[in-house]
mmCIF file of all heavy atoms in Angstrom:
data_model
loop_
_atom_site.group_PDB
_atom_site.id
_atom_site.type_symbol
_atom_site.label_atom_id
_atom_site.label_comp_id
_atom_site.label_asym_id
_atom_site.label_seq_id
_atom_site.Cartn_x
_atom_site.Cartn_y
_atom_site.Cartn_z
ATOM 1 N N LYS A 239 0.850 -1.194 0.003
ATOM 2 C CA LYS A 239 -0.002 -0.004 -0.003
ATOM 3 C C LYS A 239 0.890 1.242 -0.001
ATOM 4 O O LYS A 239 1.894 1.295 0.694
ATOM 5 C CB LYS A 239 -0.934 -0.004 1.212
ATOM 6 C CG LYS A 239 -1.870 1.186 1.204
ATOM 7 C CD LYS A 239 -2.951 1.083 2.232
ATOM 8 C CE LYS A 239 -3.831 2.319 2.115
ATOM 9 N NZ LYS A 239 -4.952 2.287 3.015
ATOM 10 N N ILE A 240 0.476 2.239 -0.771
ATOM 11 C CA ILE A 240 1.254 3.484 -0.859
ATOM 12 C C ILE A 240 0.474 4.611 -0.208
ATOM 13 O O ILE A 240 -0.704 4.838 -0.503
ATOM 14 C CB ILE A 240 1.570 3.827 -2.335
ATOM 15 C CG1 ILE A 240 2.504 2.758 -2.912
ATOM 16 C CG2 ILE A 240 2.180 5.211 -2.459
ATOM 17 C CD1 ILE A 240 2.871 2.935 -4.359
ATOM 18 N N TYR A 241 1.137 5.303 0.681
ATOM 19 C CA TYR A 241 0.607 6.497 1.349
ATOM 20 C C TYR A 241 1.315 7.699 0.721
ATOM 21 O O TYR A 241 2.537 7.650 0.529
ATOM 22 C CB TYR A 241 0.885 6.439 2.861
ATOM 23 C CG TYR A 241 0.274 5.219 3.496
ATOM 24 C CD1 TYR A 241 0.923 3.999 3.497
ATOM 25 C CD2 TYR A 241 -0.995 5.288 4.056
ATOM 26 C CE1 TYR A 241 0.344 2.866 4.042
ATOM 27 C CE2 TYR A 241 -1.596 4.158 4.616
ATOM 28 C CZ TYR A 241 -0.916 2.964 4.618
ATOM 29 O OH TYR A 241 -1.504 1.854 5.153
ATOM 30 N N ALA A 242 0.573 8.736 0.372
ATOM 31 C CA ALA A 242 1.187 9.830 -0.381
ATOM 32 C C ALA A 242 0.653 11.193 0.055
ATOM 33 O O ALA A 242 -0.459 11.303 0.578
ATOM 34 C CB ALA A 242 0.915 9.629 -1.862
ATOM 35 N N THR A 243 1.468 12.193 -0.206
ATOM 36 C CA THR A 243 1.066 13.578 -0.011
ATOM 37 C C THR A 243 1.745 14.438 -1.078
ATOM 38 O O THR A 243 2.851 14.115 -1.517
ATOM 39 C CB THR A 243 1.422 14.110 1.387
ATOM 40 O OG1 THR A 243 0.907 15.441 1.528
ATOM 41 C CG2 THR A 243 2.922 14.128 1.632
ATOM 42 N N ASN A 244 1.083 15.491 -1.477
ATOM 43 C CA ASN A 244 1.732 16.478 -2.329
ATOM 44 C C ASN A 244 1.725 17.840 -1.641
ATOM 45 O O ASN A 244 1.953 18.853 -2.253
ATOM 46 C CB ASN A 244 1.093 16.546 -3.728
ATOM 47 C CG ASN A 244 -0.381 16.885 -3.667
ATOM 48 O OD1 ASN A 244 -0.922 17.201 -2.630
ATOM 49 N ND2 ASN A 244 -1.044 16.811 -4.800
ATOM 50 N N LYS A 245 1.467 17.799 -0.321
ATOM 51 C CA LYS A 245 1.507 19.022 0.477
ATOM 52 C C LYS A 245 2.960 19.268 0.906
ATOM 53 O O LYS A 245 3.548 18.478 1.620
ATOM 54 C CB LYS A 245 0.618 18.891 1.713
ATOM 55 C CG LYS A 245 0.588 20.138 2.542
ATOM 56 C CD LYS A 245 -0.348 20.015 3.725
ATOM 57 C CE LYS A 245 -0.334 21.306 4.515
ATOM 58 N NZ LYS A 245 -1.193 21.207 5.688
ATOM 59 N N HIS A 246 3.493 20.385 0.453
ATOM 60 C CA HIS A 246 4.870 20.749 0.789
ATOM 61 C C HIS A 246 4.846 21.721 1.958
ATOM 62 O O HIS A 246 4.059 22.667 1.981
ATOM 63 C CB HIS A 246 5.551 21.425 -0.415
ATOM 64 C CG HIS A 246 5.664 20.529 -1.611
ATOM 65 N ND1 HIS A 246 6.311 20.897 -2.745
ATOM 66 C CD2 HIS A 246 5.212 19.260 -1.834
ATOM 67 C CE1 HIS A 246 6.261 19.927 -3.620
ATOM 68 N NE2 HIS A 246 5.591 18.921 -3.085
ATOM 69 N N LEU A 247 5.685 21.451 2.929
ATOM 70 C CA LEU A 247 5.767 22.292 4.139
ATOM 71 C C LEU A 247 6.966 23.215 4.038
ATOM 72 O O LEU A 247 8.025 22.821 3.552
ATOM 73 C CB LEU A 247 5.875 21.399 5.366
ATOM 74 C CG LEU A 247 4.795 20.317 5.521
ATOM 75 C CD1 LEU A 247 5.082 19.431 6.701
ATOM 76 C CD2 LEU A 247 3.422 20.956 5.640
ATOM 77 N N LYS A 248 6.816 24.425 4.500
ATOM 78 C CA LYS A 248 7.903 25.387 4.502
ATOM 79 C C LYS A 248 8.448 25.505 5.928
ATOM 80 O O LYS A 248 7.697 25.452 6.887
ATOM 81 C CB LYS A 248 7.407 26.780 4.047
ATOM 82 C CG LYS A 248 6.648 26.775 2.728
ATOM 83 C CD LYS A 248 7.563 26.596 1.566
ATOM 84 C CE LYS A 248 6.771 26.708 0.272
ATOM 85 N NZ LYS A 248 7.463 26.302 -0.879
ATOM 86 N N GLY A 249 9.752 25.616 6.051
ATOM 87 C CA GLY A 249 10.337 25.784 7.383
ATOM 88 C C GLY A 249 11.848 25.710 7.358
ATOM 89 O O GLY A 249 12.431 25.051 6.498
ATOM 90 N N LYS A 250 12.460 26.389 8.305
ATOM 91 C CA LYS A 250 13.931 26.400 8.401
ATOM 92 C C LYS A 250 14.492 25.039 8.749
ATOM 93 O O LYS A 250 15.662 24.764 8.507
ATOM 94 C CB LYS A 250 14.366 27.418 9.454
ATOM 95 C CG LYS A 250 14.133 28.855 9.023
ATOM 96 C CD LYS A 250 14.701 29.826 10.048
ATOM 97 C CE LYS A 250 13.764 29.875 11.227
ATOM 98 N NZ LYS A 250 14.121 30.885 12.226
ATOM 99 N N GLN A 251 13.663 24.153 9.349
ATOM 100 C CA GLN A 251 14.153 22.833 9.733
ATOM 101 C C GLN A 251 14.396 21.940 8.536
ATOM 102 O O GLN A 251 15.030 20.897 8.631
ATOM 103 C CB GLN A 251 13.185 22.162 10.715
ATOM 104 C CG GLN A 251 11.874 21.678 10.119
ATOM 105 C CD GLN A 251 10.770 22.723 10.137
ATOM 106 O OE1 GLN A 251 11.011 23.910 10.023
ATOM 107 N NE2 GLN A 251 9.537 22.271 10.299
ATOM 108 N N TYR A 252 13.905 22.345 7.346
ATOM 109 C CA TYR A 252 14.058 21.545 6.146
ATOM 110 C C TYR A 252 15.185 22.097 5.281
ATOM 111 O O TYR A 252 15.319 23.294 5.092
ATOM 112 C CB TYR A 252 12.771 21.539 5.323
ATOM 113 C CG TYR A 252 11.566 21.024 6.079
ATOM 114 C CD1 TYR A 252 10.487 21.850 6.330
ATOM 115 C CD2 TYR A 252 11.532 19.722 6.566
ATOM 116 C CE1 TYR A 252 9.385 21.380 7.036
ATOM 117 C CE2 TYR A 252 10.445 19.246 7.261
ATOM 118 C CZ TYR A 252 9.375 20.083 7.494
ATOM 119 O OH TYR A 252 8.293 19.615 8.174
ATOM 120 N N GLN A 253 15.971 21.159 4.719
ATOM 121 C CA GLN A 253 16.987 21.551 3.748
ATOM 122 C C GLN A 253 16.259 22.236 2.592
ATOM 123 O O GLN A 253 15.175 21.785 2.187
ATOM 124 C CB GLN A 253 17.712 20.299 3.262
ATOM 125 C CG GLN A 253 18.780 20.530 2.244
ATOM 126 C CD GLN A 253 19.395 19.213 1.767
ATOM 127 O OE1 GLN A 253 18.827 18.141 1.938
ATOM 128 N NE2 GLN A 253 20.546 19.304 1.161
ATOM 129 N N TYR A 254 16.770 23.303 2.074
ATOM 130 C CA TYR A 254 16.131 24.105 1.017
ATOM 131 C C TYR A 254 14.792 24.677 1.475
ATOM 132 O O TYR A 254 13.981 25.099 0.653
ATOM 133 C CB TYR A 254 15.969 23.313 -0.286
ATOM 134 C CG TYR A 254 17.231 22.629 -0.732
ATOM 135 C CD1 TYR A 254 17.298 21.247 -0.788
ATOM 136 C CD2 TYR A 254 18.372 23.353 -1.051
ATOM 137 C CE1 TYR A 254 18.467 20.605 -1.165
ATOM 138 C CE2 TYR A 254 19.542 22.729 -1.445
ATOM 139 C CZ TYR A 254 19.578 21.346 -1.496
ATOM 140 O OH TYR A 254 20.725 20.712 -1.872
ATOM 141 N N LYS A 255 14.522 24.597 2.777
ATOM 142 C CA LYS A 255 13.331 25.167 3.410
ATOM 143 C C LYS A 255 11.997 24.592 2.930
ATOM 144 O O LYS A 255 10.958 25.202 3.051
ATOM 145 C CB LYS A 255 13.344 26.690 3.272
ATOM 146 C CG LYS A 255 14.535 27.304 3.953
ATOM 147 C CD LYS A 255 14.493 28.803 3.909
ATOM 148 C CE LYS A 255 15.611 29.330 4.753
ATOM 149 N NZ LYS A 255 16.612 30.053 4.096
ATOM 150 N N VAL A 256 12.036 23.388 2.344
ATOM 151 C CA VAL A 256 10.805 22.717 1.886
ATOM 152 C C VAL A 256 10.851 21.265 2.342
ATOM 153 O O VAL A 256 11.836 20.569 2.121
ATOM 154 C CB VAL A 256 10.642 22.780 0.346
ATOM 155 C CG1 VAL A 256 9.347 22.121 -0.069
ATOM 156 C CG2 VAL A 256 10.720 24.217 -0.157
ATOM 157 N N GLY A 257 9.748 20.806 2.948
ATOM 158 C CA GLY A 257 9.711 19.434 3.428
ATOM 159 C C GLY A 257 8.313 18.846 3.314
ATOM 160 O O GLY A 257 7.429 19.394 2.663
ATOM 161 N N TYR A 258 8.116 17.713 3.965
ATOM 162 C CA TYR A 258 6.847 16.988 3.936
ATOM 163 C C TYR A 258 6.702 16.221 5.239
ATOM 164 O O TYR A 258 7.655 16.008 5.992
ATOM 165 C CB TYR A 258 6.831 16.008 2.767
ATOM 166 C CG TYR A 258 7.682 14.803 3.042
ATOM 167 C CD1 TYR A 258 7.141 13.624 3.561
ATOM 168 C CD2 TYR A 258 9.080 14.846 2.874
ATOM 169 C CE1 TYR A 258 7.944 12.544 3.871
ATOM 170 C CE2 TYR A 258 9.867 13.769 3.169
ATOM 171 C CZ TYR A 258 9.297 12.616 3.678
ATOM 172 O OH TYR A 258 10.092 11.548 3.997
ATOM 173 N N LYS A 259 5.469 15.799 5.505
ATOM 174 C CA LYS A 259 5.159 14.848 6.584
ATOM 175 C C LYS A 259 4.120 13.879 6.062
ATOM 176 O O LYS A 259 3.184 14.267 5.388
ATOM 177 C CB LYS A 259 4.585 15.575 7.804
ATOM 178 C CG LYS A 259 5.582 16.336 8.617
ATOM 179 C CD LYS A 259 4.957 16.902 9.876
ATOM 180 C CE LYS A 259 5.968 17.698 10.658
ATOM 181 N NZ LYS A 259 5.405 18.239 11.897
ATOM 182 N N LEU A 260 4.317 12.591 6.400
ATOM 183 C CA LEU A 260 3.372 11.542 6.037
ATOM 184 C C LEU A 260 2.996 10.760 7.280
ATOM 185 O O LEU A 260 3.881 10.308 8.002
ATOM 186 C CB LEU A 260 4.031 10.563 5.054
ATOM 187 C CG LEU A 260 3.907 10.797 3.572
ATOM 188 C CD1 LEU A 260 4.764 9.784 2.811
ATOM 189 C CD2 LEU A 260 2.479 10.732 3.125
ATOM 190 N N THR A 261 1.707 10.610 7.516
ATOM 191 C CA THR A 261 1.230 9.799 8.636
ATOM 192 C C THR A 261 0.896 8.410 8.085
ATOM 193 O O THR A 261 0.142 8.282 7.113
ATOM 194 C CB THR A 261 -0.017 10.436 9.271
ATOM 195 O OG1 THR A 261 0.344 11.735 9.749
ATOM 196 C CG2 THR A 261 -0.526 9.600 10.435
ATOM 197 N N VAL A 262 1.521 7.400 8.694
ATOM 198 C CA VAL A 262 1.385 6.020 8.201
ATOM 199 C C VAL A 262 1.210 5.063 9.365
ATOM 200 O O VAL A 262 1.613 5.339 10.491
ATOM 201 C CB VAL A 262 2.622 5.597 7.365
ATOM 202 C CG1 VAL A 262 2.764 6.469 6.116
ATOM 203 C CG2 VAL A 262 3.893 5.650 8.189
ATOM 204 N N PRO A 263 0.627 3.892 9.106
ATOM 205 C CA PRO A 263 0.567 2.843 10.128
ATOM 206 C C PRO A 263 1.981 2.310 10.393
ATOM 207 O O PRO A 263 2.862 2.425 9.543
ATOM 208 C CB PRO A 263 -0.295 1.752 9.511
ATOM 209 C CG PRO A 263 -0.966 2.367 8.327
ATOM 210 C CD PRO A 263 -0.109 3.507 7.890
ATOM 211 N N PRO A 264 2.200 1.712 11.549
ATOM 212 C CA PRO A 264 3.503 1.105 11.814
ATOM 213 C C PRO A 264 3.854 0.088 10.735
ATOM 214 O O PRO A 264 2.979 -0.603 10.194
ATOM 215 C CB PRO A 264 3.301 0.396 13.169
ATOM 216 C CG PRO A 264 2.194 1.135 13.816
ATOM 217 C CD PRO A 264 1.277 1.558 12.688
ATOM 218 N N GLY A 265 5.133 0.027 10.407
ATOM 219 C CA GLY A 265 5.590 -0.910 9.382
ATOM 220 C C GLY A 265 6.904 -0.472 8.788
ATOM 221 O O GLY A 265 7.492 0.505 9.207
ATOM 222 N N ASP A 266 7.331 -1.212 7.792
ATOM 223 C CA ASP A 266 8.564 -0.928 7.066
ATOM 224 C C ASP A 266 8.199 -0.317 5.717
ATOM 225 O O ASP A 266 7.344 -0.854 4.998
ATOM 226 C CB ASP A 266 9.397 -2.207 6.864
ATOM 227 C CG ASP A 266 9.957 -2.749 8.165
ATOM 228 O OD1 ASP A 266 10.034 -1.974 9.146
ATOM 229 O OD2 ASP A 266 10.311 -3.927 8.209
ATOM 230 N N TYR A 267 8.921 0.738 5.329
ATOM 231 C CA TYR A 267 8.579 1.500 4.136
ATOM 232 C C TYR A 267 9.791 1.847 3.300
ATOM 233 O O TYR A 267 10.897 1.987 3.814
ATOM 234 C CB TYR A 267 7.898 2.831 4.544
ATOM 235 C CG TYR A 267 6.571 2.660 5.199
ATOM 236 C CD1 TYR A 267 6.460 2.468 6.565
ATOM 237 C CD2 TYR A 267 5.398 2.683 4.437
ATOM 238 C CE1 TYR A 267 5.223 2.286 7.182
ATOM 239 C CE2 TYR A 267 4.161 2.504 5.039
ATOM 240 C CZ TYR A 267 4.075 2.307 6.401
ATOM 241 O OH TYR A 267 2.845 2.128 6.994
ATOM 242 N N HIS A 268 9.565 2.028 2.007
ATOM 243 C CA HIS A 268 10.482 2.715 1.121
ATOM 244 C C HIS A 268 9.815 4.062 0.834
ATOM 245 O O HIS A 268 8.619 4.111 0.512
ATOM 246 C CB HIS A 268 10.689 1.963 -0.190
ATOM 247 C CG HIS A 268 11.655 0.845 -0.084
ATOM 248 N ND1 HIS A 268 11.685 -0.200 -0.982
ATOM 249 C CD2 HIS A 268 12.637 0.579 0.806
ATOM 250 C CE1 HIS A 268 12.649 -1.053 -0.644
ATOM 251 N NE2 HIS A 268 13.232 -0.588 0.454
ATOM 252 N N VAL A 269 10.583 5.134 0.965
ATOM 253 C CA VAL A 269 10.055 6.479 0.763
ATOM 254 C C VAL A 269 10.653 7.045 -0.527
ATOM 255 O O VAL A 269 11.858 6.934 -0.743
ATOM 256 C CB VAL A 269 10.390 7.380 1.977
ATOM 257 C CG1 VAL A 269 9.888 8.796 1.757
ATOM 258 C CG2 VAL A 269 9.775 6.790 3.252
ATOM 259 N N PHE A 270 9.795 7.635 -1.348
ATOM 260 C CA PHE A 270 10.252 8.192 -2.626
ATOM 261 C C PHE A 270 9.440 9.413 -3.011
ATOM 262 O O PHE A 270 8.335 9.621 -2.516
ATOM 263 C CB PHE A 270 10.210 7.136 -3.740
ATOM 264 C CG PHE A 270 8.846 6.560 -4.000
ATOM 265 C CD1 PHE A 270 8.021 7.120 -4.959
ATOM 266 C CD2 PHE A 270 8.406 5.438 -3.301
ATOM 267 C CE1 PHE A 270 6.760 6.567 -5.218
ATOM 268 C CE2 PHE A 270 7.161 4.882 -3.548
ATOM 269 C CZ PHE A 270 6.330 5.464 -4.512
ATOM 270 N N ALA A 271 10.003 10.212 -3.909
ATOM 271 C CA ALA A 271 9.311 11.355 -4.497
ATOM 272 C C ALA A 271 9.097 11.064 -5.974
ATOM 273 O O ALA A 271 9.881 10.337 -6.610
ATOM 274 C CB ALA A 271 10.130 12.623 -4.315
ATOM 275 N N GLN A 272 8.007 11.621 -6.520
ATOM 276 C CA GLN A 272 7.692 11.443 -7.935
ATOM 277 C C GLN A 272 7.120 12.730 -8.501
ATOM 278 O O GLN A 272 6.557 13.540 -7.747
ATOM 279 C CB GLN A 272 6.621 10.356 -8.123
ATOM 280 C CG GLN A 272 7.125 8.959 -8.112
ATOM 281 C CD GLN A 272 6.048 7.971 -8.504
ATOM 282 O OE1 GLN A 272 4.954 7.971 -7.975
ATOM 283 N NE2 GLN A 272 6.382 7.100 -9.439
ATOM 284 N N LEU A 273 7.218 12.860 -9.793
ATOM 285 C CA LEU A 273 6.572 13.953 -10.516
ATOM 286 C C LEU A 273 5.545 13.370 -11.465
ATOM 287 O O LEU A 273 5.816 12.364 -12.133
ATOM 288 C CB LEU A 273 7.604 14.761 -11.318
ATOM 289 C CG LEU A 273 8.662 15.495 -10.510
ATOM 290 C CD1 LEU A 273 9.661 16.148 -11.440
ATOM 291 C CD2 LEU A 273 8.020 16.538 -9.613
ATOM 292 N N PRO A 274 4.356 13.969 -11.562
ATOM 293 C CA PRO A 274 3.348 13.434 -12.481
ATOM 294 C C PRO A 274 3.713 13.606 -13.944
ATOM 295 O O PRO A 274 3.310 12.824 -14.787
ATOM 296 C CB PRO A 274 2.087 14.189 -12.126
ATOM 297 C CG PRO A 274 2.550 15.425 -11.436
ATOM 298 C CD PRO A 274 3.859 15.090 -10.790
ATOM 299 N N ASP A 275 4.522 14.646 -14.251
ATOM 300 C CA ASP A 275 4.918 14.900 -15.640
ATOM 301 C C ASP A 275 6.357 15.438 -15.669
ATOM 302 O O ASP A 275 6.567 16.643 -15.770
ATOM 303 C CB ASP A 275 3.960 15.903 -16.285
ATOM 304 C CG ASP A 275 4.244 16.134 -17.746
ATOM 305 O OD1 ASP A 275 5.084 15.395 -18.329
ATOM 306 O OD2 ASP A 275 3.644 17.058 -18.323
ATOM 307 N N PRO A 276 7.348 14.554 -15.582
ATOM 308 C CA PRO A 276 8.740 14.999 -15.550
ATOM 309 C C PRO A 276 9.128 15.846 -16.765
ATOM 310 O O PRO A 276 9.929 16.772 -16.650
ATOM 311 C CB PRO A 276 9.543 13.696 -15.529
ATOM 312 C CG PRO A 276 8.595 12.666 -15.025
ATOM 313 C CD PRO A 276 7.243 13.096 -15.478
ATOM 314 N N ALA A 277 8.561 15.547 -17.932
ATOM 315 C CA ALA A 277 8.906 16.292 -19.145
ATOM 316 C C ALA A 277 8.556 17.783 -19.014
ATOM 317 O O ALA A 277 9.204 18.636 -19.623
ATOM 318 C CB ALA A 277 8.186 15.696 -20.343
ATOM 319 N N LYS A 278 7.589 18.085 -18.179
ATOM 320 C CA LYS A 278 7.198 19.477 -17.935
ATOM 321 C C LYS A 278 8.379 20.299 -17.397
ATOM 322 O O LYS A 278 8.454 21.503 -17.585
ATOM 323 C CB LYS A 278 6.044 19.475 -16.930
ATOM 324 C CG LYS A 278 5.551 20.798 -16.443
ATOM 325 C CD LYS A 278 4.399 20.570 -15.484
ATOM 326 C CE LYS A 278 4.021 21.785 -14.714
ATOM 327 N NZ LYS A 278 2.929 21.526 -13.757
ATOM 328 N N TYR A 279 9.320 19.602 -16.761
ATOM 329 C CA TYR A 279 10.491 20.261 -16.180
ATOM 330 C C TYR A 279 11.759 19.958 -16.960
ATOM 331 O O TYR A 279 12.866 20.197 -16.487
ATOM 332 C CB TYR A 279 10.648 19.835 -14.708
ATOM 333 C CG TYR A 279 9.428 20.164 -13.916
ATOM 334 C CD1 TYR A 279 8.503 19.194 -13.580
ATOM 335 C CD2 TYR A 279 9.154 21.476 -13.538
ATOM 336 C CE1 TYR A 279 7.359 19.493 -12.866
ATOM 337 C CE2 TYR A 279 8.008 21.790 -12.823
ATOM 338 C CZ TYR A 279 7.103 20.800 -12.503
ATOM 339 O OH TYR A 279 5.966 21.128 -11.815
ATOM 340 N N GLY A 280 11.610 19.399 -18.163
ATOM 341 C CA GLY A 280 12.750 19.100 -19.010
ATOM 342 C C GLY A 280 13.456 17.799 -18.692
ATOM 343 O O GLY A 280 14.501 17.479 -19.239
ATOM 344 N N ALA A 281 12.875 17.000 -17.800
ATOM 345 C CA ALA A 281 13.485 15.722 -17.428
ATOM 346 C C ALA A 281 13.172 14.673 -18.489
ATOM 347 O O ALA A 281 12.117 14.692 -19.112
ATOM 348 C CB ALA A 281 12.957 15.266 -16.065
ATOM 349 N N THR A 282 14.092 13.735 -18.657
ATOM 350 C CA THR A 282 13.906 12.695 -19.662
ATOM 351 C C THR A 282 13.528 11.334 -19.070
ATOM 352 O O THR A 282 13.343 10.374 -19.795
ATOM 353 C CB THR A 282 15.194 12.515 -20.491
ATOM 354 O OG1 THR A 282 16.273 12.196 -19.602
ATOM 355 C CG2 THR A 282 15.506 13.780 -21.284
ATOM 356 N N TYR A 283 13.443 11.254 -17.745
ATOM 357 C CA TYR A 283 13.070 9.981 -17.128
ATOM 358 C C TYR A 283 11.557 9.770 -17.211
ATOM 359 O O TYR A 283 10.798 10.718 -17.379
ATOM 360 C CB TYR A 283 13.594 9.864 -15.696
ATOM 361 C CG TYR A 283 13.309 11.035 -14.818
ATOM 362 C CD1 TYR A 283 12.070 11.221 -14.207
ATOM 363 C CD2 TYR A 283 14.290 11.998 -14.571
ATOM 364 C CE1 TYR A 283 11.812 12.299 -13.397
ATOM 365 C CE2 TYR A 283 14.029 13.086 -13.767
ATOM 366 C CZ TYR A 283 12.804 13.229 -13.178
ATOM 367 O OH TYR A 283 12.552 14.304 -12.377
ATOM 368 N N PRO A 284 11.096 8.523 -17.074
ATOM 369 C CA PRO A 284 9.659 8.216 -17.249
ATOM 370 C C PRO A 284 8.809 8.700 -16.079
ATOM 371 O O PRO A 284 9.316 9.020 -15.001
ATOM 372 C CB PRO A 284 9.639 6.680 -17.317
ATOM 373 C CG PRO A 284 10.873 6.244 -16.633
ATOM 374 C CD PRO A 284 11.892 7.314 -16.857
ATOM 375 N N LYS A 285 7.503 8.735 -16.292
ATOM 376 C CA LYS A 285 6.567 9.211 -15.272
ATOM 377 C C LYS A 285 6.587 8.359 -14.013
ATOM 378 O O LYS A 285 6.252 8.841 -12.930
ATOM 379 C CB LYS A 285 5.145 9.239 -15.831
ATOM 380 C CG LYS A 285 4.917 10.345 -16.797
ATOM 381 C CD LYS A 285 3.457 10.389 -17.261
ATOM 382 C CE LYS A 285 3.248 11.540 -18.198
ATOM 383 N NZ LYS A 285 1.847 11.703 -18.545
#
């Protein structure tokens, strides 16, 4: 199961002053970021 957010948090505690928080049930996770349309930003990797 994937838990997701696109809400970006602003604050000095975050590198580059932008971060996130995700509330999840206990367990083991892999955490990743994605873009819905990478080509929009000139990236060549897949969606």
